Amino acid sequence: MDAQSRGRADEIDPADQWVLNPRTGNYELRLDRSAAQQQPSVAAPRRPSSARRGAPGAPASPKAPSPAVPGPRRGEGPPGRRGGRPRKGGGGGGRRKKALVITGGTLAFLLVGGSVGAYLYYDHLNSNLKVTDVGDAGTGGFKKDQPINILVIGTDKRSGAGNEGYGDAESVGHADTTILFHVSKDRSNATALSIPRDLITNIPACPTKQPDGSTKTIPGEKGTRFNISLGQEGRDPGCTMRTVKELTGITVDHFMMVDFNAVKVLSTAVGGVPVCLAKPVDDKDSKLKLDAGEHRLQGEQALAFVRTRHSFGNHGDLDRIKTQQQFLGSMMREMKSKETLTSPKKFFSLAEAATKSLNVDSGIGSIDKLTNLAGELKDMNLKNITFTTLPVLDNPAEPEGQKATVVIEHGSADPLLKMIQGDVSLTEVEKKEQAAKDAADADAKSKADALLQGNRAPAGDVRVDVYNGGGPGGSASTTLTWLQNSKGVNKASNRGNAPAKVDTTQLEYAPNQADQARALADMMGLPATALKMGSVDAAPKTPMKLTLGADFKGAGISLTAPQKAPDDLQRVEADKAVCAK
């Protein structure tokens, strides 16, 4: 569907195709032009796949003629409602009701839910999605009781009508805008971490799937710009996922990628995105020309707003990131507004625009899978979603006056990444939500904290067997060397790989080894939750068991996440409207 919400060249609008089935009392979606002349049915027979793929405007299954069935008037509420009252079940439409996620941003894809009662249109949206196989670059899935990490990538590829003239028309599509979207384990909050495109980092070797089904490994690069982790040398989104993991220590589950055209069609489909400017803007490069104050932007203007680098702050990419975060937050607010969720026209315009704009990994490469993901996130309050940027500073290797790239500022970046790795929120979760969580965890937390109270054994008395249960390769060996040479733990042994992988590092010990466990926890920065005490005392000279989990980053790197963000961290909550300066 284009920016004007039309279904095809013949201007069939899916939002206008909802008709009342007098036999069930339900509204049902008819996607062919003669829908109003056909006999409604409880559950339309499934079409062959060749017909389904063309859903809007495709021929319908033959049915007996009947009197015309009037379509719903605009303003009567969302599909499935009549006269403002909830639809009652019993018909086939109710049985086929599925949750459908609609994007915006692309982060808003994960945060807005709705209802669609027509399988054919639902299946049509499936055919809009572009899917890339990234192999083992991500987890390929997510667990309901674990955090979710999604990499949202905006490329500078000039695909789509009218985009040829922007900047480098020959761009292969680099990672121009990249946001690591971390959703907490309890689904109460999320952190959206922007990664600067000009950050100097290492890009690991990357296996990529070729059109003929073979795999080609693209060599890695050291000390280069982050944005060439995509596109350059044929790198796919999996290469960017691998780069982000190496850079942040955070494993990515999935990716979502959009290009320039997505900003135009999504902002138009939602009816415009409200923005605020603290000063007038006239940018000859992006073609953005606006007075100070509030504006509702869509299409070309919306794209110009998120592309401008010469209008706000220090006229650089870091200030453009802030502008983009403000725009995404506003789009989220707009999409979760009553005006959008109760408008069938906007709803279906967004469904078309969103799915046509998306490229995703095979782990979420269908509307069903995206729906499952959205089900985890749809109830999250926008005030508990925090946008922030990976802290950086000018590249000291570049001469003054010629600063073009940045490097990580570890003083602030390291604790921030630790917080994300430790699933610590950057925002205030509602008090009642936090109170409920604290109450549920109180007993376990109290027991865990008590484990760390008491005497510590001398390093020379600590006996421990070290296993690698999911840490980087060679972790057991490097940890053993570190314990012996740096900490004086001479009674430690390397036992190689653990029998099974674990998500978090664990230290198992007997009650009479508590002093040894506390000493080792202090040395390694283990949280209280990593200590697992047995019920029976151990025999003399029996070692404890340390299993390094997927959260283990290296010997000497603490696993205890800070509970407070650095004071100078740039951040803004998604529910707050901020004027671009």
Side-chain angles (χ1 to χ4, degrees):
M1 184 177 297
D2 64 16
Q4 276 66 48
S5 310
R6 297 299 174 189
R8 305 192 144 266
D10 58 3
E11 296 190 341
I12 294 176
D13 185 347
D16 294 330
Q17 302 305 305
W18 285 89
V19 295
L20 178 66
N21 184 335
R23 292 166 55 188
T24 65
N26 296 332
Y27 281 111
E28 297 177 358
L29 186 62
R30 297 289 186 269
L31 297 174
D32 54 290
R33 187 175 280 286
S34 60
Q37 303 299 323
Q38 296 172 345
Q39 175 67 39
S41 64
V42 173
R46 180 168 177 165
R47 298 182 189 175
S49 59
S50 58
R52 292 200 308 273
R53 292 301 176 194
S61 301
K63 298 178 184 177
S66 67
V69 180
R73 293 191 299 269
R74 293 180 186 267
E76 286 189 328
R81 288 179 179 265
R82 183 164 53 122
R85 294 182 180 179
R87 179 171 77 182
K88 294 184 179 180
R95 288 196 299 271
R96 291 185 176 207
K97 188 175 181 181
K98 295 174 183 259
L100 172 65
V101 182
I102 308 301
T103 66
T106 303
L107 294 181
F109 193 106
L110 308 173
L111 301 168
V112 181
S115 299
V116 173
Y119 173 80
L120 296 180
Y121 187 65
Y122 187 87
D123 194 46
H124 161 69
L125 294 180
N126 250 336
S127 67
N128 285 345
L129 289 170
K130 301 179 187 69
V131 181
T132 299
D133 182 356
V134 296
D136 62 354
T139 64
F142 62 89
K143 298 178 181 178
K144 290 184 176 296
D145 59 346
Q146 293 297 321
I148 302 173
N149 295 305
I150 300 162
L151 194 65
V152 182
I153 307 170
T155 80
D156 58 3
K157 193 170 185 178
R158 273 64 178 167
S159 57
N163 297 323
E164 302 86 355
Y166 296 132
D168 179 9
E170 303 301 319
S171 174
V172 293
H174 297 114
D176 194 58
T177 298
T178 305
I179 298 175
L180 178 60
F181 192 56
H182 170 85
V183 182
S184 68
K185 176 180 177 179
D186 64 6
R187 310 297 187 251
S188 69
N189 64 87
T191 298
L193 176 71
S194 292
I195 301 175
R197 48 170 279 177
D198 296 322
L199 174 67
I200 296 299
T201 188
N202 296 328
I203 299 175
C206 177
T208 60
K209 295 286 185 179
Q210 302 301 299
D212 63 0
S214 64
T215 298
K216 175 184 176 182
T217 298
I218 301 171
E221 291 189 50
K222 293 187 179 296
T224 189
R225 272 184 167 90
F226 173 84
N227 70 329
I228 68 168
S229 64
L230 177 70
Q232 202 79 4
E233 310 299 334
R235 294 188 177 101
D236 65 13
C239 301
T240 307
M241 295 168 75
R242 295 175 194 275
T243 303
V244 168
K245 180 177 180 179
E246 182 165 309
L247 176 68
T248 65
I250 299 167
T251 299
V252 180
D253 295 303
H254 302 289
F255 85 86
M256 293 180 170
M257 184 169 70
V258 297
D259 58 20
F260 278 4
N261 217 46
V263 178
K264 296 199 295 187
V265 297
L266 289 170
S267 61
T268 301
V270 79
V273 176
V275 300
C276 172
L277 278 68
K279 62 180 182 181
V281 170
D282 187 0
D283 185 348
K284 294 180 175 56
D285 290 330
S286 69
K287 307 298 189 294
L288 181 67
K289 186 173 182 178
L290 295 170
D291 295 330
E294 296 182 356
H295 302 269
R296 182 174 284 270
L297 306 184
Q298 59 183 317
E300 294 289 347
Q301 273 195 321
L303 179 59
F305 182 80
V306 298
R307 287 188 65 240
T308 184
R309 289 205 292 175
H310 306 297
S311 301
F312 308 114
N314 295 322
H315 296 190
D317 188 57
L318 296 180
D319 287 296
R320 182 173 69 162
I321 287 174
K322 296 177 185 178
T323 304
Q324 292 170 344
Q325 292 172 350
Q326 293 160 15
F327 183 87
L328 287 174
S330 182
M331 181 174 277
M332 287 181 181
R333 295 192 296 275
E334 194 67 18
M335 293 196 64
K336 286 182 78 74
S337 70
K338 181 180 179 182
E339 288 74 15
T340 297
L341 293 179
T342 59
S343 167
K345 186 177 181 67
K346 284 187 179 181
F347 191 91
F348 284 97
S349 295
L350 282 165
E352 286 288 333
T355 53
K356 284 182 177 178
S357 299
L358 268 183
N359 185 342
V360 298
D361 62 279
S362 51
I364 49 173
S366 70
I367 299 299
D368 271 336
K369 292 176 180 178
L370 287 168
T371 298
N372 291 337
L373 179 59
E376 297 289 307
L377 315 176
K378 64 184 177 64
D379 296 326
M380 190 179 299
N381 195 312
L382 293 183
K383 72 180 182 180
N384 294 328
I385 302 171
T386 304
F387 286 98
T388 189
T389 304
L390 185 67
V392 295
L393 47 82
D394 288 338
N395 188 350
E398 295 174 337
E400 289 299 328
Q402 299 180 37
K403 301 290 187 182
T405 61
V406 294
V407 296
I408 290 183
E409 197 281 288
H410 287 282
S412 295
D414 289 353
L416 169 61
L417 294 176
K418 278 291 181 188
M419 290 183 72
I420 298 175
Q421 293 165 8
D423 201 28
V424 178
S425 174
L426 293 183
T427 189
E428 288 292 332
V429 180
E430 289 186 45
K431 289 183 179 179
K432 62 180 181 181
E433 294 175 351
Q434 192 62 49
K437 181 177 182 297
D438 289 347
D441 293 344
D443 186 48
K445 205 172 165 190
S446 174
K447 290 178 181 177
D449 288 341
L451 296 176
L452 294 178
Q453 305 302 315
N455 297 327
R456 269 72 172 157
D461 292 344
V462 173
R463 294 177 182 272
V464 62
D465 286 343
V466 183
Y467 295 82
N468 189 354
S475 290
S477 177
T478 56
T479 299
L480 175 65
T481 301
W482 179 79
L483 285 172
Q484 291 178 338
N485 297 342
S486 300
K487 296 299 179 180
V489 181
N490 299 316
K491 296 174 183 176
S493 300
N494 173 13
R495 296 300 182 185
N497 291 332
K501 290 189 175 182
V502 294
D503 292 327
T504 58
T505 298
Q506 300 174 2
L507 175 61
E508 300 172 64
Y509 65 99
N512 61 337
Q513 295 173 322
D515 57 344
Q516 296 182 48
R518 296 185 196 107
L520 190 62
D522 287 348
M523 295 175 202
M524 298 193 62
L526 300 179
T529 51
L531 276 61
K532 311 294 181 185
M533 185 173 70
S535 57
V536 181
D537 282 349
K541 298 185 179 181
T542 299
M544 299 181 293
K545 181 180 178 181
L546 173 66
T547 304
L548 307 175
D551 61 340
F552 183 76
K553 307 307 174 196
I557 301 177
S558 174
L559 293 177
T560 305
Q563 299 301 303
K564 182 178 180 296
D567 292 334
D568 59 350
L569 186 68
Q570 174 266 322
R571 56 180 170 174
V572 63
E573 282 72 45
D575 69 320
K576 294 180 180 175
V578 181
C579 289
K581 300 179 181 179

